Amino acid sequence: MWLTLAIASVFFPGLFFLSVRSLGWAAPAWSLKDRTLLSSRMVSSVQATMATVSGIIVVLNCKDVVHDRYWLAVEYVWVLVPYMIYDIYVMYLCHWHKSKDTSEKKHSLASVRSFLEKDRLMVTHHLFILVVLTPVAQYLRGELGDFFVGCIFVAELSTPFVSLGKILMQLKMQDTLLHKVNGILILVTFFLCRIVLFPFMYRAYAKQTGIPIYMVPFHIPLHCNVANASLIAPQLYWFMLICRKAVRLYSGSPSDKNR
């Protein structure tokens, strides 16, 4: 636990600052803002890939979805804790760089307040994972449910495609075929891994225990239902936003695609 926390606490910030510095050498014409935005998306993709691979490994090694154990289901949560803290900071940093072009020239309480107002849903999501889901995953569930923790990790599969889409827009490549193909991949992976994932987990439990799927919420602990409901709610909202963006991308004018 402590070693994993220590390594992750150094790895993600270190990778971010190394990326910012390396982009400065490779593309000296880029501003610090551009390098910060691109680096944040690259690190996000790295973490998402790590989480997805870890989740797939856990799922494949848990034949009994209730009782089977696999060490990554516990250990990778300790990777996520420092990553979530790092990501909140980097989200603020990206917000500040964007705002610096308009009004906020220096770091201040006003810039922090502006960030919390603009990105309150994402910040709340991260804090919920830290304050609620971490204790549930590490302590409250006891020796059960590694399979389902692995499934939650797999939800990160869509993140690299979301990050790639933002990178392509940053590089002014939003009218390319790659951006359109990536948009389809975002829709598919987000829908499967962040929406369908939850009924899939309930179905897996129902199949394991031999009960109808509609009875599953009454057979599992209340905190599991609350956690799942709290996780899927923002995913539905974000999926709605992605669908709106897709409509603009595939049927709107060039000016609409840049929004």
Side-chain angles (χ1 to χ4, degrees):
M1 167 187 170
W2 295 112
L3 179 60
T4 302
L5 282 169
I7 293 173
S9 297
V10 173
F11 176 73
F12 293 114
L15 184 61
F16 171 75
F17 288 112
L18 178 62
S19 176
V20 172
R21 181 64 62 88
S22 299
L23 287 172
W25 294 331
W30 281 22
S31 67
L32 180 58
K33 168 188 170 182
D34 290 331
R35 288 182 278 131
T36 299
L37 295 175
L38 184 56
S39 297
S40 69
R41 289 154 186 169
M42 291 171 63
V43 175
S44 177
S45 296
V46 169
Q47 188 285 135
T49 302
M50 292 168 58
T52 301
V53 172
S54 298
I56 292 172
I57 293 172
V58 172
V59 168
L60 293 178
N61 281 277
C62 293
K63 305 304 180 184
D64 183 323
V65 304
V66 178
H67 299 99
D68 279 358
R69 305 302 311 277
Y70 196 78
W71 65 274
L72 265 176
V74 173
E75 204 64 25
Y76 196 79
V77 174
W78 298 125
V79 175
L80 286 175
V81 169
Y83 173 76
M84 289 296 164
I85 297 171
Y86 147 85
D87 200 43
I88 291 174
Y89 168 72
V90 171
M91 284 193 299
Y92 162 73
L93 201 59
C94 292
H95 169 81
W96 180 77
H97 275 291
K98 292 177 183 177
S99 302
K100 195 168 63 170
D101 294 337
T102 54
S103 58
E104 297 167 13
K105 304 299 183 183
K106 296 181 179 180
H107 296 286
S108 64
L109 288 177
S111 63
V112 174
R113 185 165 53 249
S114 173
F115 161 67
L116 293 175
E117 290 174 354
K118 182 179 183 298
D119 293 306
R120 59 183 176 275
L121 181 58
M122 186 65 77
V123 173
T124 301
H125 171 265
H126 281 37
L127 292 177
F128 180 79
I129 291 175
L130 288 169
V131 177
V132 179
L133 289 192
T134 297
V136 169
Q138 300 300 71
Y139 304 111
L140 294 181
R141 69 185 179 93
E143 302 292 313
L144 306 175
D146 280 13
F147 172 87
F148 302 106
V149 175
C151 288
I152 297 299
F153 292 164
V154 175
E156 286 291 294
L157 179 61
S158 63
T159 300
F161 300 109
V162 174
S163 295
L164 177 58
K166 293 179 179 179
I167 291 172
L168 291 174
M169 292 187 68
Q170 185 179 342
L171 298 176
K172 309 299 183 184
M173 297 175 64
Q174 59 266 38
D175 294 323
T176 63
L177 177 61
L178 176 59
H179 188 248
K180 293 181 178 180
V181 172
N182 186 66
I184 295 173
L185 292 173
I186 291 173
L187 279 171
V188 172
T189 56
F190 198 100
F191 179 70
L192 291 178
C193 297
R194 292 183 179 249
I195 308 297
V196 176
L197 173 72
F198 291 92
F200 167 77
M201 291 193 294
Y202 279 68
R203 181 182 178 278
Y205 183 90
K207 184 178 179 181
Q208 178 73 46
T209 57
I211 62 174
I213 189 171
Y214 62 83
M215 292 299 296
V216 172
F218 305 101
H219 279 251
I220 62 177
L222 176 62
H223 61 259
C224 294
N225 288 314
V226 171
N228 286 333
S230 301
L231 280 174
I232 196 173
Q235 310 304 329
L236 291 170
Y237 171 73
W238 286 323
F239 185 67
M240 178 184 67
L241 296 182
I242 290 172
C243 289
R244 289 179 179 175
K245 180 106 177 183
V247 170
R248 293 199 300 267
L249 176 64
Y250 298 109
S251 63
S253 64
S255 60
D256 290 334
K257 297 174 187 178
N258 293 327
R259 293 180 188 175

